[in-house]
Structure formats: structure tokens, C-alpha cells
Amino acid sequence: MPIPFFSIITVCLDAPRLEDTCSSIVRQTFQDFEWIVIDGGSALNNLQIFQQYKNRLDAFVSENDAGLYDAMNKGLARAQGLFVNFMNAGDAFARPDILSQAHKTLKSAPDIDVLYGEVCILRADEKIISLTPGILDKNFFRNRTISHQAAFIRKSMFERFGLYDTGLKITADYKHFLSMFMGQAKFARLEAVVAVQEGTGKSVRQADLLFQERRLVKAEMEEFFRD
């Protein structure tokens, strides 16, 4: 079988807006992707939504896991694409041409390891667009990171830098992006809002844990952050 250009991985556990997630994936104008769903044991209504898309799913697993990053690692173990995107349940691609834009950019610059865009965050009655700089530096990573919903990561980066740290509950993606940056991976910005996400995720609900885990990661990388 030919290798797909993208692997879209969706992790789910009884998430709202699941239909938005699924429809935004299958409606992409660029279709050279595989779609992998790792479900943590959702209720019947979520499973029925996935059932509607079974003809487009390349892999579907529904079983208990050890949390978000364990599920994301399970998805990576099944991924065959050149680049990986985590469009987890409840989030959605902002437009049907996002994969087409990402593919065009990545084909024109084959040295890119991580292509990242912006996220539209939905909070109450407002929409907030993330503003990520075109050139990243250590100051960016002191208190911020890239949204995994808006990132396309070369699959080989997970072979080079390892999988997500399942000892972390909220910030394993922050740690992985930081490790890639420290390891001289090539980052580039896609001038587009890639994804829409609810502003009520775990990192928002558990701000204290987010701060604590980021402090632990930065302590582990102390030499890098030292001025």
C-alpha cells in the first residue's frame, strides 16, 4: 500500500462536538490521508457517530487507556503517514482546504519537520485567535507552546525524539515540541487558522496542574532555559 501523506489521529472519550470533528476531517479537499481513531471507551452515542464514518476510517480502537497521551501514543504506533496531525474529538479543522494548504507548503519546503498554524479558541460568546510567531525562540517556549491541533509533525520526529511522556497529564505535547526545538528540528509557520477548539479543555480547567507540569519540564530542561 502507498504511504499516505498525512496521518490524522483522533483521540476520544465521550467528547462533545464529535460530529464537527468527524465532518471536518472527511470534508477535506485533499484526501491523501489515513484516519485513525483511538477511543477510550466512550458511550454508545459517540460510538454511533464513528459508525457513520466507518467507510473512511483506516483504524478504530475502543478500549481503556492510561490517559490522553497514552491514547495519542497508541495512534502513533498505528500511523503510517509522512506527517501526523492530532485532531482530537471536540476539535475541528477550520476549513475544508487546510490539508491542501499544508500539503502544498510541505512539498515546497521538504526540510520542514513541524508545520504549525493558528487555532480559533471558542470561549462563551467570543472567539480568540492564537498568535504564534513565525520564528520561534526559547522565550516563546518559556510560557507557551504550539497547539497540537494546528501542527503537522513529521512522523520520523517521534522516532528521533520518542513518544509522548505519559507521566504528564497536560503538558506532554509541550515537552515534545520543546525537545524537537532543542534538537534543531525545522519549524515553519502556516499562515492560516488550522483548527477550532473549545476553550474549556483540561489545560483551562486545571490551570494549576498546567503551571506545575510546565515548571517540572522547564526544570528538566534547565540548562536550555538558562540565560
Side-chain angles (χ1 to χ4, degrees):
M1 293 292 291
I3 297 175
F5 196 85
F6 294 110
S7 293
I8 309 300
I9 298 174
T10 299
V11 168
C12 179
L13 179 59
D14 294 323
R17 298 182 66 242
L18 176 59
E19 176 62 38
D20 291 346
T21 305
C22 295
S23 63
S24 81
I25 293 172
V26 301
R27 289 189 299 109
Q28 289 298 302
T29 57
F30 182 83
Q31 285 285 311
D32 186 12
F33 69 87
E34 62 176 359
W35 183 18
I36 299 166
V37 170
I38 307 296
D39 180 78
S42 292
L44 180 60
N45 61 324
N46 270 11
L47 298 180
Q48 288 174 334
I49 292 174
F50 284 126
Q51 179 68 16
Q52 297 172 23
Y53 294 94
K54 64 179 181 180
N55 291 334
R56 187 58 184 87
L57 282 169
D58 295 274
F60 179 82
V61 176
S62 185
E63 62 186 18
N64 292 335
D65 54 54
L68 172 64
Y69 296 114
D70 179 46
M72 289 168 70
N73 286 342
K74 286 183 179 182
L76 285 168
R78 291 165 172 78
Q80 300 295 318
L82 297 176
F83 286 86
V84 176
N85 169 269
F86 290 96
M87 193 55 64
N88 291 337
D91 304 324
F93 284 116
R95 297 198 312 273
D97 65 341
I98 292 299
L99 291 187
S100 179
Q101 289 188 57
H103 173 258
K104 182 178 180 180
T105 301
L106 291 167
K107 289 292 286 185
S108 67
D111 61 334
I112 294 175
D113 297 312
V114 182
L115 180 66
Y116 62 91
E118 305 299 347
V119 171
C120 177
I121 303 170
L122 305 178
R123 291 184 181 173
D125 295 326
E126 64 177 345
K127 296 180 180 179
I128 302 171
I129 305 297
S130 64
L131 297 175
T132 312
I135 299 177
L136 304 179
D137 57 23
K138 69 168 63 178
N139 287 325
F140 171 80
F141 283 104
R142 287 186 191 277
N143 296 298
R144 298 181 61 192
T145 191
I146 296 166
S147 297
H148 62 242
Q149 302 93 331
F152 302 92
I153 307 166
R154 190 179 294 277
K155 175 64 161 40
S156 62
M157 292 294 99
F158 293 98
E159 298 163 9
R160 180 177 168 191
F161 295 99
L163 300 177
Y164 290 111
D165 183 350
T166 57
L168 298 168
K169 302 301 181 185
I170 297 178
T171 61
D173 49 342
Y174 167 69
K175 181 179 180 180
H176 201 269
F177 281 127
L178 179 56
S179 297
M180 288 189 287
F181 181 78
M182 292 171 58
Q184 305 299 311
K186 172 70 172 179
F187 286 72
R189 186 174 184 270
L190 180 66
E191 299 290 336
V193 176
V194 171
V196 178
Q197 79 175 89
E198 289 280 1
T200 56
K202 184 178 291 187
S203 62
V204 175
R205 299 193 307 270
Q206 301 182 26
D208 290 343
L209 179 59
L210 172 66
F211 176 79
Q212 179 184 2
E213 287 194 351
R214 280 197 179 172
R215 186 172 57 185
L216 290 173
V217 171
K218 287 189 285 188
E220 186 177 336
M221 316 292 192
E222 180 181 4
E223 185 174 345
F224 172 75
F225 283 109
R226 187 178 297 130
D227 291 327

